Amino acid sequence: MALGLYIHIPFCSAICNYCNFNRGLFDADLKARYVDALLGEVKRAGQAGTAGGARRSADTIYFGGGTPSLLEPTEVARIIAACRDAFDVSGDAELTLEANPESVDPDKLTALRSAGVNRLSFGVQSFRDAELRRLSRLHDTARARAAMDEARNAGFDNISLDLMMWLPEQRVDEWLSNVDAAIACDPDHLSLYLLEVYPNAPLKDDMARARWSQAPDDDAATMYVTAMERLEAAGYEQYEISNVAKPGRWSRHNLKYWTDGEWLGLGCGAHGTIDGVRTKNVSGITDYIDCIARGQPVTSDVRRMDADERLGDALFTGLRLVEGIDLDVVQKRYGVDVWRKYGADLARFLDAGLLRRDGHRLALTRNGMLLANEVMTVFV
Ligand code: SF4
């Protein structure tokens, strides 16, 4: 099975008020040292994965963050070259880089394309300036649209946009105007996320101070369902709870997470799963750099999952896909008849119209996607 390589770039120009990711403020010196450390980890990982002189194959590289577009294109090129040295990266590999609209310009995008990046994922979040300000984002709508145009002109033919729904003060019609604006930009792929306001997020205080609130839960459900319908009418296919794409443009890297695949997590705080072993790297940027410099392991957690956990995980993540889980494949891989093991618990979700069983496939309905967490507790 070909690996996915996830590469974490933890730097941001400013910290958004809702952010719960592993990131820190950009510092040019620290970033240069971090990139050197990453190159060291890539090399190590390649050596560790070499079996009988053969490099492990990989078919996706994903730069996530943080804000990977704060890297210089030459740094991106060095990291990609290190991956190609350490792994047998297929010629048609998907190479994605997450980008924020304010951190790119035409020259940078052209250089990133030349460096081998062939897919961009833009963190747009909203096409309404007032909403972007409430989220303390650094870009405005005009910059987001310009970044998309610049990326097309730079030769990117595979572009994804992230949008967030259920923003403070956002009404259903305002959210749908964001969806329409996104469709007008003609991306190849879209990810739609519900804003989650974490208890310690500065946004929570901002909301209390400004008396902003989120729409009622029923409106959040309407936002989700109506957006999916609108995107489907515009030619996008929903393939996962939060993701839609034009035909042939599903995210190959993210599919590894949902199809029981294998990926290596590189960089601070990165998670990986290979052959039933979960790894997590140390979270701190300087801790990570120090580990590499001292020749110490960068993993802070390495755990072999037991058979039940692997099965539960495969079912939990597989149900995120619209096509659901192939019960025959699960039986072959794990030797478990899912229906016999979980059928009694799943029956009530089938009766309630949240799950559908179609021959050997089990999948969530769209209403089931709204209550996915509840359904998935069966497997945890
Ligand atoms: S740009 Fe993304 S990773 Fe960085 S602070 Fe904002 S939400 Fe977090």
Side-chain angles (χ1 to χ4, degrees), residues 11-16 18-23 65-67 100 102 125 137:
F11 302 103
C12 292
S13 302
I15 304 301
C16 303
Y18 60 92
C19 180
N20 194 33
F21 298 119
N22 183 32
R23 75 304 181 249
T67 308
N100 280 350
E102 77 282 355
Q125 316 311 353
R137 296 291 303 203

Side-chain angles (χ1 to χ4, degrees), residues 14-35:
I15 304 301
C16 303
N17 59 9
Y18 60 92
C19 180
N20 194 33
F21 298 119
N22 183 32
R23 75 304 181 249
L25 274 179
F26 180 81
D27 172 311
D29 287 343
L30 189 61
K31 181 204 57 169
R33 287 169 49 217
Y34 183 79
V35 169

Side-chain angles (χ1 to χ4, degrees), residues 108-120:
K108 187 168 205 175
L109 288 163
T110 302
L112 287 169
R113 185 69 195 89
S114 301
V117 177
N118 55 25
R119 182 172 183 270
L120 287 176

Side-chain angles (χ1 to χ4, degrees), residues 262-331:
E262 296 189 317
W263 66 96
L264 189 62
L266 299 150
C268 65
H271 294 254
T273 300
I274 297 182
D275 196 21
V277 177
R278 274 267 147 84
T279 58
K280 181 183 181 297
N281 282 355
V282 289
S283 301
I285 299 172
T286 50
D287 291 344
Y288 172 80
I289 295 171
D290 289 347
C291 286
I292 294 284
R294 293 191 199 117
Q296 294 169 345
V298 288
T299 44
S300 60
D301 193 22
V302 179
R303 196 167 54 82
R304 178 166 289 283
M305 295 187 283
D306 64 25
D308 257 10
E309 191 180 359
R310 285 186 76 172
L311 171 68
D313 214 61
L315 299 173
F316 184 92
T317 50
L319 263 194
R320 294 189 59 92
L321 290 171
V322 169
E323 65 185 23
I325 305 160
D326 186 327
L327 301 177
D328 289 351
V329 170
V330 173
Q331 170 114 39

